[in-house]
Amino acid sequence: GAGKLLSNSASNILVERKTIHGILDVNTNYTFDGTVSDRSMLYLGAGAEIIVRSGSTLTLTNTDLFTCSVLAQGITVEPGGTLIVSDCTLKDSRFAIDAKPGSTISVKRTGFFDNYIGLHLDMGSAAEANKRVNILEFEDNTFSTAQTAINTPFSGMPEAIESRGYCGIWLNDYRDFNIFAPTNTFSALANGIIARKSTLNLGNMTFDDMNSVGTPVYPLEGFGIHLWGKGNRPYWAHINEMWHTMTFNNCKTGIFGSHYSAQVDNVVMTNVTTGIDWSQSIRGEIRLRSNTITARQFGIRSFQNEPLASSSAISDNTIVVTTAGGGLTPVTGIEMQEPGLGTWLGGGWPVTKNSVTMNIGGRGILYRNGVSGVLDGNFVTNLSMPNSYTGIFTEGNYFTNVARNTVTQNSSIGLGAATGILSASGTVNTYQCNCIDNTHVGAQFNDFGEFVDAVRGNSFNTHTTGLQIGHPGAGGAYIGNQTRTGNLWDLGEIPTGEFGGINNGSLADALRSRFLVPGVMGSNVEHPDVDPSPGWFFQGGSSSFTCSNACVFPPTTNIPSRVPESYVPTNLDYAIVTGTLSDNTDMAWKGNYRLYRKLLRQPAMEQYDTVFASFKAAQATLPSGKLGYIAEERAKLFSLNSTDEATDANYRSTLTSQTANLRNLDSLSQSGTSINTTTYNTLVQQKAANETNYAAFLLGIDTMRQLHIQTLLTLNANISTPTVCIANHKTVNNIVLNMLANGDDEPSPTNLTVLSDIAAQCPIEGGDAVYEARAVVERFTGETFDDAVLCAIEARPSNGRDSNVRLKREEVIVYPNPSTGQIFWSGLEGQSLYVRVFNQLGQLVAERNTTGNSLDLSNLPEGVYQVQFSCPETKLLLNRSLVIQKR
């Protein structure tokens, strides 16, 4: 009732007409019990706090808690205290409910409106087995910003606020936040759920309009669910079940996870900028399955997650990307930018049986710098804007199996400049049984790739060119020799004057990509007309490779095995070891670097032919050998020996079982079923002990890894850099290894600028480090790279017999960098330039035609920008990153 004194500490409490100032100290059982027609009204003064002490229960029924113009602190439930809330509104507080470790809460049919945080659960101070709250019920609650803006902070409140609440639920170091009860709803907030270093199992939730309003001040904004779990302890999130519902609408990002293992099943996302975004979760279990995502820019993104636990997969998802896909803001259905870690034995992404629709061009699936991935049985299509569409794009990958994918476009929009499958560089990748239709180029292979007898069983239908090697005007592209491989061309669909296959390299280049096929040119579906006719497709070969269920989605048979790497030398290996691979010094160096890495993986090659032993001994003291060794050791940093692998698997299996058992018991308890308390508490203790032991095991492995990283950094520092290509590899090694050593989630602005300059080089000249840099740069700047421009300056000559024609560019330097705004450049003297500047969102913020060498950008705010130089006369197009820093 009004005016009732609830504590002897009168100096702390003043309750008058249900108005609360200061602290309301609940140290006995108490109830505010209104009715539907006569609700209890609790007005909290600025900063006022209700504290439920240990052993006491506060019950709120049909009660409205609110303030006038300044936020209150809210309700705090101390360890041992109990809060029961039903059919209430809890408004205008810093933390509507702040439940401490060991407290008990029951919350149902309650609105959390206009709070900085609705439910605050910080378990950081508790012992491992006590990092939880006893949640009796949690269902049918709403978290939202209902008024125009939340109230102003009270004096002494440490956080800054925006118009919207920061989030509905905030978790820190929480163990097993298990909520699957009927729908809890989050709307009109900066974020829905933020979880740090917590394990959680969620279902039956709705997230709508997670965005910032006004000047951003919150550390995170626009996330439906944001998970972050940096450290050696494993963190797990189970988001939705196949038989539950979870929806996201109008969020910048639906679900984000970093340093987390997770399973995300059967969620529905509409009108999100990015659907599911996972990063920095090396060796994590990441299973993204059967989700339906309609996104503006990215359906599913992965950044530096490989190597992965064996159960990981991106499978059976339906993705639609709705906006246009060109320029500096590319759109992608499924994007994987990986760190090049892992071995050829496994650990890469399985991306299987996904349906990806690009409404207005873009990239269906992008896989860059991955190791041992599988892209199998996916359906990728484009509905419009065929000039900016690539179905599947693989760049700089090792041991990847691209199989049984269907890639096509809307047949009514024309072929445009679209490419079905685009591959750049790589080692021992397999491209087999893919069905490619309605694109200008069916499959295109750029740069130096070794895919011997691994481009096989593909169907090329309705293209201007079915198979293309290299860019027009650029040599040095080859994939290794192919025997009779069962690739099929729809000969009737090749336009008059065009070819089933075109090789843009020299005759020497063409000999590195020979196809041995049946019959004479143009005589059957395996031997189309090609250009150049001699030196590329030859009559002969072994038996044809046959694909079952080609052009069927989803495929019903098993994934065909990829072509393995063998110790038996290939023709490319012999070309490298004899110095006849290329007359281009950069390409020859890249061959030496690649072959040295292969010899480390396949030592039996040295016994197969003594020439390889001599080659290895000679290269070991050169930068190519030293950098090759560092690359192989860097790739294996997160691989475990057989004993540690078994121990790791045992911990994972036990934790998975314990997590599932606790989830089931919590579900039963919250539904009103009585559970055995002793059994439950024993399981909590056992899981806590297992997590502690697993964390210690991982710490021991990480300690040894850190020592190895320091050894590699020392070796790397002592390598001389006589060429740009060598310097690129050394620089990328230094940045990436230091990021791994320091646990950095992103490079410094200075290092990002350095990586951007490397990423913008032609990889023929810049080496494989270019692809490694791109995996980082595109993630943080959105910058994309067109090797057709970076590596060539003129159209393909007749019959593709040009020899290594590439843009001869001077080193272009933008300085000072960082800059306060006035910038200069060198290396472009005397050229008429069109200079454009883009911000991190890809928006054009400055442009000028000039013959000078300076530009004033002092009117731009601080940040990272991309400066693009173009010169139509020479077909020059260069990007340079710039940091503007004014203090």
Side-chain angles (χ1 to χ4, degrees):
K4 183 175 181 63
L5 191 66
L6 302 181
S7 171
N8 293 327
S9 304
S11 61
N12 285 340
I13 304 170
L14 178 62
V15 182
E16 295 176 349
R17 299 179 182 177
K18 300 180 183 176
T19 299
I20 302 170
H21 299 285
I23 296 176
L24 175 59
D25 202 342
V26 180
N27 55 13
T28 186
N29 295 342
Y30 193 79
T31 299
F32 284 99
D33 189 7
T35 64
V36 173
S37 59
D38 185 17
R39 300 176 65 84
S40 295
M41 309 291 287
L42 299 180
Y43 172 76
L44 303 183
E49 182 177 15
I50 300 173
I51 301 178
V52 183
R53 302 295 185 184
S54 178
S56 302
T57 299
L58 174 63
T59 303
L60 304 177
T61 306
N62 289 313
T63 297
D64 298 328
L65 183 149
F66 62 98
T67 73
C68 183
S69 59
V70 179
L71 292 177
Q73 174 65 31
I75 302 173
T76 300
V77 190
E78 292 193 333
T82 299
L83 175 66
I84 299 174
V85 182
S86 60
D87 302 290
C88 296
T89 59
L90 307 181
K91 300 177 58 179
D92 306 333
S93 295
R94 180 191 180 209
F95 307 142
I97 297 176
D98 185 10
K100 303 298 185 182
S103 63
T104 298
I105 63 173
S106 174
V107 186
K108 58 184 181 181
R109 298 185 302 276
T110 290
F112 292 76
F113 300 130
D114 308 316
N115 303 291
Y116 173 70
I117 293 176
L119 177 61
H120 184 264
L121 301 171
D122 188 349
M123 306 292 114
S125 63
E128 182 62 37
N130 298 322
K131 292 181 179 295
R132 54 195 298 118
V133 169
N134 182 26
I135 301 176
L136 302 178
E137 292 178 287
F138 199 88
E139 62 182 66
D140 291 325
N141 301 299
T142 300
F143 298 82
S144 181
T145 305
Q147 59 194 32
T148 303
I150 66 175
N151 292 346
T152 59
F154 58 82
S155 178
M157 180 172 160
E159 298 91 359
I161 66 166
E162 296 179 19
S163 298
R164 293 187 172 194
Y166 179 40
C167 65
I169 299 175
W170 189 88
L171 305 166
N172 180 56
D173 216 11
Y174 196 106
R175 298 295 174 269
D176 301 296
F177 182 71
N178 299 332
I179 302 295
F180 281 92
T183 303
N184 291 285
T185 301
F186 302 79
S187 66
L189 298 164
N191 306 281
I193 297 175
I194 297 175
R196 295 171 53 86
K197 298 186 176 183
S198 300
T199 55
L200 58 160
N201 299 271
L202 306 175
N204 292 323
M205 291 181 173
T206 298
F207 300 83
D208 181 65
D209 189 11
M210 299 294 115
N211 291 288
S212 59
V213 175
T215 303
V217 300
Y218 293 151
L220 300 171
E221 298 190 351
F223 298 94
I225 298 174
H226 187 283
L227 310 169
W228 185 88
K230 194 172 183 178
N232 285 309
R233 184 182 298 276
Y235 300 102
W236 171 260
H238 190 151
I239 300 176
N240 214 39
E241 300 272 13
M242 292 300 183
W243 51 89
H244 291 147
T245 59
M246 181 84 80
T247 62
F248 299 78
N249 178 62
N250 190 23
C251 306
K252 291 181 181 177
T253 301
I255 301 172
F256 174 87
S258 180
H259 304 279
Y260 249 87
S261 291
Q263 181 170 317
V264 182
D265 291 334
N266 194 36
V267 305
V268 177
M269 297 183 178
T270 55
N271 193 30
V272 296
T273 300
T274 299
I276 300 173
D277 191 349
W278 228 266
S279 73
Q280 303 285 0
S281 301
I282 293 174
R283 290 198 59 84
E285 299 172 71
I286 307 169
R287 302 197 290 272
L288 313 176
R289 307 178 304 181
S290 301
N291 303 291
T292 302
I293 302 171
T294 302
R296 292 183 287 270
Q297 192 167 2
F298 298 98
I300 294 175
R301 298 187 83 184
S302 168
F303 175 68
Q304 297 200 346
N305 292 310
E306 292 182 351
L308 297 150
S310 60
S311 57
S312 299
I314 299 174
S315 64
D316 300 283
N317 300 285
T318 300
I319 296 170
V320 177
V321 180
T322 60
T323 57
L328 293 179
T329 54
V331 299
T332 308
I334 300 174
E335 176 188 273
M336 296 154 290
Q337 307 274 10
E338 297 306 334
L341 303 178
T343 71
W344 54 282
L345 298 175
W349 271 115
V351 181
T352 62
K353 295 188 288 187
N354 300 281
S355 174
V356 179
T357 300
M358 312 302 293
N359 280 358
I360 321 174
R363 305 171 301 194
I365 299 175
L366 168 66
Y367 189 32
R368 177 180 282 137
N369 210 35
V371 180
S372 299
V374 176
L375 311 183
D376 175 74
N378 302 286
F379 179 84
V380 184
T381 189
N382 176 47
L383 301 185
S384 65
M385 198 178 289
N387 285 331
S388 62
Y389 170 59
T390 301
I392 295 176
F393 183 13
T394 63
E395 188 172 72
N397 299 313
Y398 274 60
F399 316 116
T400 296
N401 191 359
V402 182
R404 303 188 305 174
N405 301 285
T406 298
V407 182
T408 187
Q409 291 193 110
N410 181 351
S411 60
S412 67
I413 64 175
L415 304 183
T419 303
I421 294 178
L422 177 61
S423 166
S425 189
T427 295
V428 200
N429 298 334
T430 301
Y431 299 83
Q432 59 184 341
C433 307
N434 298 288
C435 181
I436 316 168
D437 196 12
N438 292 318
T439 57
H440 171 63
V441 176
Q444 180 175 346
F445 295 89
N446 298 326
D447 198 2
F448 166 22
E450 186 176 13
F451 314 136
V452 175
D453 289 337
V455 181
R456 59 191 193 181
N458 302 288
S459 296
F460 301 105
N461 307 314
T462 318
H463 310 287
T464 304
T465 302
L467 176 65
Q468 178 173 316
I469 306 294
H471 293 294
Y478 26 84
I479 59 176
N481 292 340
Q482 314 293 321
T483 59
R484 183 178 171 189
T485 53
N487 296 295
L488 304 177
W489 277 259
D490 189 341
L491 300 181
E493 295 295 333
I494 300 173
T496 302
E498 297 296 338
F499 301 92
I502 294 178
N503 194 314
N504 287 288
S506 65
L507 288 177
D509 291 339
L511 289 172
R512 311 295 185 206
S513 305
R514 288 180 292 176
F515 277 70
L516 301 181
V517 292
V520 298
M521 186 179 297
S523 65
N524 61 60
V525 294
E526 291 188 56
H527 199 157
D529 290 334
V530 297
D531 181 31
S533 55
W536 192 28
F537 273 48
F538 292 87
Q539 184 177 357
S542 60
S543 60
S544 180
F545 181 81
T546 302
C547 292
S548 59
N549 284 320
C551 303
V552 174
F553 175 79
T556 56
T557 56
N558 294 327
I559 302 173
S561 298
R562 66 173 175 83
V563 175
E565 184 175 60
S566 171
Y567 68 89
V568 178
T570 66
N571 288 344
L572 284 172
D573 294 331
Y574 277 109
I576 294 168
V577 80
T578 57
T580 60
L581 178 73
S582 175
D583 58 2
N584 176 273
T585 56
D586 293 315
M587 185 63 72
W589 186 91
K590 184 155 55 174
N592 294 340
Y593 167 80
R594 294 263 198 95
L595 180 55
Y596 192 87
R597 292 188 64 175
K598 184 176 182 179
L599 286 165
L600 293 175
R601 295 190 300 267
Q602 303 289 349
M605 286 181 67
E606 297 179 66
Q607 281 72 50
Y608 190 91
D609 191 326
T610 57
V611 69
F612 292 101
S614 299
F615 172 87
K616 184 179 179 183
Q619 294 293 320
T621 60
L622 300 176
S624 52
K626 294 177 181 179
L627 289 168
Y629 171 79
I630 291 171
E632 284 298 304
E633 292 301 301
R634 199 184 96 184
K636 296 185 292 186
L637 280 172
F638 290 85
S639 299
L640 303 180
N641 61 42
S642 58
T643 300
D644 287 341
E645 192 73 60
T647 302
D648 183 73
N650 182 63
Y651 275 122
R652 289 178 186 271
S653 176
T654 303
L655 279 173
T656 298
S657 176
Q658 292 170 331
T659 297
N661 290 338
L662 277 175
R663 182 177 70 243
N664 292 337
L665 290 174
D666 281 337
S667 179
L668 290 171
S669 177
Q670 292 171 21
S671 66
T673 302
S674 178
I675 62 173
N676 187 301
T677 304
T678 301
T679 300
Y680 184 89
N681 290 336
T682 299
L683 182 56
V684 169
Q685 295 289 335
Q686 290 174 342
K687 182 171 182 286
N690 197 38
E691 286 183 327
T692 300
N693 293 336
Y694 190 24
F697 167 76
L698 294 177
L699 179 60
I701 290 175
D702 188 60
T703 299
M704 297 301 295
R705 182 183 299 124
Q706 291 290 339
L707 292 174
H708 196 32
I709 289 173
Q710 294 305 318
T711 299
L712 295 179
L713 282 168
T714 300
L715 292 173
N716 191 67
N718 292 325
I719 294 174
S720 61
T721 54
T723 68
V724 171
C725 185
I726 294 171
N728 287 345
H729 281 269
K730 180 177 178 178
T731 299
V732 171
N733 279 339
N734 183 63
I735 292 173
V736 171
L737 287 170
N738 273 297
M739 286 179 65
L740 292 173
N742 300 327
D744 298 330
D745 287 343
E746 60 184 87
S748 68
T750 299
N751 283 342
L752 186 58
T753 298
V754 172
L755 291 173
S756 294
D757 287 340
I758 294 173
Q761 296 176 23
C762 170
I764 292 175
E765 298 157 341
D768 292 347
V770 171
Y771 302 116
E772 297 173 14
R774 288 177 182 178
V776 178
V777 170
E778 187 168 326
R779 170 72 182 196
F780 293 107
T781 71
E783 185 177 8
T784 57
F785 307 92
D786 186 352
D787 286 342
V789 176
L790 293 172
C791 298
I793 61 171
E794 59 189 41
R796 185 182 70 88
S798 174
N799 291 330
R801 291 176 176 81
D802 174 57
S803 178
N804 290 324
V805 179
R806 286 184 303 280
L807 180 63
K808 304 301 183 182
R809 299 165 298 156
E810 297 179 55
E811 181 65 20
V812 178
I813 301 173
V814 176
Y815 62 94
N817 195 1
S819 170
T820 58
Q822 184 75 27
I823 64 168
F824 302 86
W825 54 84
S826 64
L828 297 171
E829 289 78 5
Q831 297 194 53
S832 177
L833 298 171
Y834 179 39
V835 184
R836 298 194 297 170
V837 182
F838 299 87
N839 63 17
Q840 287 182 283
L841 299 177
Q843 298 166 327
L844 181 66
V845 295
E847 58 183 331
R848 177 187 295 178
N849 287 303
T850 181
T851 57
N853 72 329
S854 67
L855 187 62
D856 187 359
L857 302 175
S858 57
N859 62 319
L860 296 179
E862 291 186 337
V864 179
Y865 296 86
Q866 299 302 313
V867 184
Q868 184 184 85
F869 301 93
S870 59
C871 179
E873 293 180 358
T874 61
K875 298 186 179 179
L876 168 72
L877 181 63
L878 296 175
N879 289 295
R880 293 293 182 262
S881 293
L882 171 71
V883 178
I884 294 182
Q885 185 174 317
K886 299 184 178 180
R887 61 181 184 276

